[in-house]
């Protein structure tokens, strides 16, 4: 059974940093791509960043230069380093495991709130 456990969310002030973690179990993590998504209040869930099994990354324009996705295959964990946070980054953040075939798996979400 594939499980994703997220951690690292919280309440911070604008300009501060947070690092989100997503620990995966029940999958061959090194074969999987990983993604971070977010859902802001009243909006749809959108892709923030993605990393493939080889470490190639994608970051959305809204976070490029501020957020960094990474992975540690030995720990079966993906990370999202978020720097210079703004109130517009306030959202529930979800990680997603994207296997080579079949459907993906979602984490439970972690709240990030940035005050001005």
């Amino acid at each position: 059974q594939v499980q994703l456990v997220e951690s690292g969310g919280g309440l911070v002030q604008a300009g501060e940093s947070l690092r989100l973690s997503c620990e995966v179990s029940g999958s061959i993590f090194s074969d999987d791509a990983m993604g971070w998504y977010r859902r802001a209040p009243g909006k749809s869930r959108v892709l923030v960043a993605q990393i493939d099994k080889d470490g190639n990354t994608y970051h959305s324009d809204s976070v490029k230069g501020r957020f960094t996705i990474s992975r540690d295959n030995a720990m079966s964990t993906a990370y999202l380093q978020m720097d210079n946070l703004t109130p517009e980054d306030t959202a529930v953040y979800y990680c997603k495991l994207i296997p080579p075939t079949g459907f993906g798996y979602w984490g439970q979400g972690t709240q990030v709130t940035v005050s001005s």
Side-chain angles (χ1 to χ4, degrees):
Q1 181 180 356
V2 177
Q3 290 188 319
L4 288 72
V5 179
E6 300 160 1
S7 60
L11 171 64
V12 297
Q13 292 187 331
E16 294 184 339
S17 298
L18 282 173
R19 188 176 80 155
L20 305 182
S21 299
C22 176
E23 184 175 1
V24 176
S25 60
S27 180
I28 305 174
F29 182 78
S30 59
D31 289 346
D32 303 323
M34 294 295 299
W36 285 98
Y37 292 70
R38 69 185 180 188
R39 177 181 285 140
K43 297 187 177 181
S44 301
R45 185 159 54 186
V46 296
L47 176 65
V48 173
Q50 187 165 308
I51 185 167
D52 68 13
K53 66 180 183 66
D54 297 318
N56 299 303
T57 62
Y58 161 84
H59 298 82
S60 68
D61 287 342
S62 62
V63 306
K64 197 172 295 182
R66 300 188 299 121
F67 291 12
T68 304
I69 189 171
S70 63
R71 62 190 296 156
D72 184 337
N73 288 344
M75 300 295 292
S76 296
T77 301
Y79 303 97
L80 185 67
Q81 177 66 41
M82 305 186 295
D83 297 321
N84 194 21
L85 285 159
T86 73
E88 289 69 37
D89 296 316
T90 294
V92 179
Y93 284 73
Y94 300 87
C95 65
K96 183 179 182 181
L97 182 149
I98 307 163
T101 60
F103 298 102
Y105 299 85
W106 292 95
Q108 80 282 3
T110 186
Q111 177 70 46
V112 172
T113 303
V114 185
S115 63
S116 58

